[in-house]
Amino acid sequence: MSQLRTLSATEIPSERLLLRKAQAADREGFIELMTDPEVRAYLGGPRPRSEVEQHFDQAISADASSGPGNYVIADNTTNRLVGTLMLGRRSADRPGRVAEDGEELELGYVLRRGAWGAGYAFEAATAALRAAAAELPDQPVLVVTQTANKRSLKLAARLGFRPISTFEEFGAEQTLCTAPLSTFRI
């Protein structure tokens, strides 16, 4: 486990969204997110519902979802789960890094299919990266996605990330994109 700091904010508001820790009311939305074949197409496929239910229930009871950098993306009007966002440390054991010792900040996000195309991923990622830039020293931030996931690569580019390499992981070619955290300072 990394000793490097990550984003500590427990809530991050944006114009339409609130990044917050998971709540029991998020259960069905989270299950939908993790079991939807289209949502999970580039993430190893849908997970079995029973496995997702067990994982969510354990995370809520252990308050594991409140770990630094792990957020539910919620609509700030309805408080309904739109997706999830993670800004954590990429393990040095995994391929895809820019620093020799690894452990760079890594941004990951996934949205429910009904939320696609509304700009929520861009808004949530921008809010999280701005909060991180205000709290942490400048450092590289990574986005890693399957090369076949053209929508995710387009979003990474729109956020200001640039592709720097590809590598094989999880049985598919992955694209490593990076941007300096200072890019997101306001």
Side-chain angles (χ1 to χ4, degrees), residues 43-92:
L43 300 168
R47 293 178 45 202
R49 183 181 176 97
S50 60
E51 178 186 308
V52 174
E53 288 173 340
Q54 182 179 11
H55 172 76
F56 184 83
D57 293 343
Q58 287 173 344
I60 287 294
S61 67
D63 203 22
S65 63
S66 64
N70 293 313
Y71 300 96
V72 160
I73 304 169
D75 178 290
N76 69 9
T77 303
T78 65
N79 202 31
R80 183 172 184 256
L81 181 141
V82 173
T84 60
L85 181 138
M86 178 276 306
L87 187 61
R89 295 285 172 187
R90 184 167 180 87
S91 171

Side-chain angles (χ1 to χ4, degrees), residues 157-173:
R158 185 170 170 226
L159 286 164
F161 288 82
R162 62 180 183 84
I164 59 166
S165 67
T166 59
F167 58 93
E168 186 82 14
E169 188 178 33
F170 307 121
E173 183 181 81

Side-chain angles (χ1 to χ4, degrees), residues 5-13 18-21 65-72 85 87 127-136:
R5 285 186 32 193
T6 188
L7 184 57
S8 67
T10 56
E11 287 190 348
I12 303 170
L18 176 64
L19 279 61
R20 59 165 173 76
K21 74 179 197 172
S65 63
S66 64
N70 293 313
Y71 300 96
V72 160
L85 181 138
L87 187 61
L129 290 164
R130 284 181 177 164
E135 181 181 326
L136 300 171

